[in-house]
């Protein structure tokens, strides 16, 4: 009896032990996957797990970077090289984790647009320590020597174009000027504002424009070339952090505290399209604002429609196809064992990073069709009200 019962007993314990074993492994997988970093996109072509080029973009929540994802996909569709695109979703911690994931996938080249230029240094270092070449994309990774190359647009020229547009499209003197800027964690935000200031400052100093929303800008209005610190003082007052909602809050606060002399026909320096639309909506809902001229950047589809409808005055077109071509061209040259060509360099606070820089184009109602439809960037059918 015992024997049999002993046998049954052993069987039972055995079964129990087996079920415990199965239970543990499930937990293992979950932990391994590391929670909330962004689910990426890797191209179908890759049979095994290794990939050649890892691509990190700041966030999926802004149409600008979704443009880049699509343009990368288009560019790599027929390539023999395998890639994976991951988004940092506005978090440097996610960004580092995504880079570690890509390192474990065997990348040889990392193309990264940092969420925060300084904080991204850790991720770049992690890749560089593995012998991976790091290409900074659009935004510069700052204060680290772990960056090999930089592909970008002429960000200073973006700001110059925005400032010049306000000068060329307003009349008279004493014109209220509302200044807005990008996130100070983004090196580009300084370059955009510096470019705009380089042309606006003389017009503030001669009374053409009156700064309506920044005491720091007023105090510095006699100085054309500002230090990084002085630029930072102004950015702290007028930053949107690239967040359309923060832009609305700031615009509402500025309009609420502005007197009638700072309303009427006004000029607005908005740093990019995402914030420009929300600021334009806020200004157009203030009955004391009779008209506004407002800038933008990125030629996002929604802003092209705003321009066609006369709700946004201009945008600075940065042909992302060109930036993707430059970045992937560099990556493939590196994978082929050669050194990519560059046309200049950027001081990132630690090293001079060899760079490739592309031009930008001012777009408003007059040339929207020529620059964005005839160039094949967008289809006419994606808009209403085009001639
Ligand atoms: C900048 C980029 C712009 C803009 C912004 C917001 O670095 O150059 O095109 O989109 O980030 O994400």
């Amino acid at each position: 009896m015992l024997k049999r019962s002993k046998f049954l007993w052993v069987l039972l314990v055995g079964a129990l032990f087996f079920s415990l074993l199965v239970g543990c492994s499930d937990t293992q997988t979950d932990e391994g996957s590391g929670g909330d970093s962004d689910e990426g996109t890797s191209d179908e072509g890759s049979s095994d797990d290794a990939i050649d080029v890892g691509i990190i973009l700041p966030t999926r929540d802004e149409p600008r970077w979704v443009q880049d994802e699509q343009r990368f996909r288009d560019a790599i569709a027929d390539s023999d090289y395998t890639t994976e695109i991951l988004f940092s979703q506005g978090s440097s911690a996610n960004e580092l984790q995504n880079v570690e994931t890509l390192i474990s996938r065997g990348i040889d080249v990392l193309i990264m647009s940092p969420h925060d230029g300084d904080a991204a240094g850790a991720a770049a270092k992690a890749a560089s320590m593995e012998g991976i070449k790091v290409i900074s994309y659009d935004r510069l990774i700052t204060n680290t020597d772990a960056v090999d190359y930089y592909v970008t647009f002429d960000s200073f020229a973006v700001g110059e174009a925005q400032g010049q547009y306000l000068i060329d499209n307003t009349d008279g003197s004493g014109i209220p000027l509302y200044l807005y800027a990008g996130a100070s964690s983004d090196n580009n935000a300084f370059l955009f504002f510096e470019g705009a200031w380089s042309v606006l400052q003389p017009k503030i100093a001669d009374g053409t424009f009156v700064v309506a929303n920044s005491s720091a800008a007023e105090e510095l209005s006699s100085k054309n070339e500002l230090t990084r610190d002085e630029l930072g003082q102004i950015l702290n007052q007028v930053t949107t952090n690239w967040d359309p909602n923060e832009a609305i809050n700031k615009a509402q606060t500025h309009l609420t505290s502005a007197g009638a002399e700072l309303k009427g026909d006004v000029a607005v320096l908005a740093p990019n399209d995402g914030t420009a639309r929300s600021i334009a909506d806020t200004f157009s809902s203030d009955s004391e604002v009779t008209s506004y001229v407002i800038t933008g950047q990125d030629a996002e589809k929604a802003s092209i429609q705003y321009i066609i409808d006369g709700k946004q005055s201009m945008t600075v077109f940065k042909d992302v196809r060109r930036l993707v071509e430059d970045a992937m061209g560099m990556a493939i040259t590196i994978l082929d064992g050669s050194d990519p060509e560059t046309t200049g360099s950027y001081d990132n606070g630690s090293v001079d990073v060899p760079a490739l820089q592309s031009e930008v184009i001012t777009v408003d109602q007059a040339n929207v069709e020529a620059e964005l439809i005839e160039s094949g960037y967008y289809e006419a059918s994606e808009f209403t009200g085009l001639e």
Side-chain angles (χ1 to χ4, degrees), residues 237-372:
Q237 291 186 337
V238 300
T239 183
T240 62
N241 277 315
W242 296 129
D243 176 358
N245 296 317
E246 188 164 337
I248 292 172
N249 297 339
K250 277 234 163 58
Q252 282 170 343
T253 307
H254 295 148
L255 286 171
T256 307
S257 58
E261 78 289 354
L262 291 175
K263 302 264 179 101
D265 302 319
V266 305
V268 184
L269 178 75
N272 75 339
D273 285 350
T275 55
R277 291 191 299 277
S278 50
I279 295 169
D281 292 347
T282 307
F283 274 69
S284 58
S285 60
D286 184 318
S287 58
E288 291 179 277
V289 172
T290 26
S291 78
Y292 61 83
V293 179
I294 188 166
T295 62
Q297 169 185 190
D298 294 329
E300 290 177 2
K301 273 186 202 154
S303 277
I304 298 305
Q305 192 60 58
Y306 261 46
I307 289 171
I308 294 166
D309 299 341
K311 294 194 286 185
Q312 182 176 326
S313 315
M314 63 85 81
T315 187
V316 179
F317 173 39
K318 307 196 305 186
D319 191 335
V320 170
R321 296 171 297 185
R322 178 65 193 278
L323 201 65
V324 165
E325 208 181 288
D326 286 350
M328 285 310 296
M330 264 193 184
I332 290 168
T333 304
I334 292 165
L335 291 168
D336 291 349
S338 317
D339 295 334
E341 261 181 54
T342 54
T343 52
S345 68
Y346 272 74
D347 174 359
N348 80 342
S350 177
V351 286
D352 278 334
V353 184
L356 262 185
Q357 179 174 285
S358 299
E359 299 314 306
V360 299
I361 300 168
T362 296
V363 169
D364 65 6
Q365 270 183 350
N367 65 346
V368 68
E369 203 141 351
E371 297 299 344
L372 291 168

Side-chain angles (χ1 to χ4, degrees), residues 16 26 33 36 49 57 69 82 86 124 151 162 199 217 230 246 256 266 277-278 300 318 355:
L16 193 61
D26 280 351
S33 67
D36 61 4
D49 205 26
L57 297 173
E69 180 192 20
T82 52
L86 297 176
V151 291
Q162 292 172 332
V199 292
E230 287 165 337
E246 188 164 337
T256 307
V266 305
R277 291 191 299 277
S278 50
E300 290 177 2
K318 307 196 305 186

Side-chain angles (χ1 to χ4, degrees), residues 58-59 62 64-65 113-114 138-139 152-153 155 186-189 192 242 271-273 297-298 300 318:
T59 177
E62 290 177 39
R64 153 68 215 257
W65 303 108
S113 186
D138 191 279
R139 296 176 176 179
T152 188
F153 292 99
S155 297
D186 177 0
N187 186 62
N188 281 344
F192 300 145
W242 296 129
N272 75 339
D273 285 350
Q297 169 185 190
D298 294 329
E300 290 177 2
K318 307 196 305 186

Side-chain angles (χ1 to χ4, degrees), residues 102-310:
L102 292 170
I103 292 171
S104 72
R105 305 279 313 272
I107 60 170
D108 293 313
V109 179
L110 173 67
I111 296 173
M112 176 156 73
S113 186
H115 164 64
D116 174 318
D118 277 356
K125 198 74 178 176
S128 175
M129 302 268 283
E130 301 290 329
I132 294 163
K133 289 292 180 198
V134 177
I135 301 173
S136 208
Y137 179 82
D138 191 279
R139 296 176 176 179
L140 189 56
I141 301 165
T142 46
N143 294 312
T144 173
D145 59 5
V147 186
D148 301 288
Y149 301 101
Y150 182 33
V151 291
T152 188
F153 292 99
D154 185 342
S155 297
F156 185 90
V158 169
E160 264 180 329
Q162 292 172 332
Q164 196 58 47
Y165 194 89
L166 294 179
I167 294 167
D168 297 343
N169 291 276
T170 50
D171 291 318
S173 63
I175 303 159
L177 171 63
Y178 291 79
L179 301 167
Y180 296 94
S184 355
S185 56
D186 177 0
N187 186 62
N188 281 344
F190 286 85
L191 297 172
F192 300 145
F193 194 84
E194 202 181 359
W197 186 260
S198 71
V199 292
L200 287 171
Q201 181 273 329
K203 296 292 179 185
I204 297 168
D206 74 4
T208 303
F209 291 115
V210 174
V211 175
N213 65 332
S214 168
S215 55
E218 276 179 83
E219 275 150 38
L220 291 161
S221 60
S222 60
K223 195 174 178 202
N224 188 260
E225 285 191 30
L226 302 178
T227 63
R228 179 93 174 179
D229 200 47
E230 287 165 337
L231 286 167
Q233 288 166 29
I234 302 176
L235 261 65
N236 283 346
Q237 291 186 337
V238 300
T239 183
T240 62
N241 277 315
W242 296 129
D243 176 358
N245 296 317
E246 188 164 337
I248 292 172
N249 297 339
K250 277 234 163 58
Q252 282 170 343
T253 307
H254 295 148
L255 286 171
T256 307
S257 58
E261 78 289 354
L262 291 175
K263 302 264 179 101
D265 302 319
V266 305
V268 184
L269 178 75
N272 75 339
D273 285 350
T275 55
R277 291 191 299 277
S278 50
I279 295 169
D281 292 347
T282 307
F283 274 69
S284 58
S285 60
D286 184 318
S287 58
E288 291 179 277
V289 172
T290 26
S291 78
Y292 61 83
V293 179
I294 188 166
T295 62
Q297 169 185 190
D298 294 329
E300 290 177 2
K301 273 186 202 154
S303 277
I304 298 305
Q305 192 60 58
Y306 261 46
I307 289 171
I308 294 166
D309 299 341

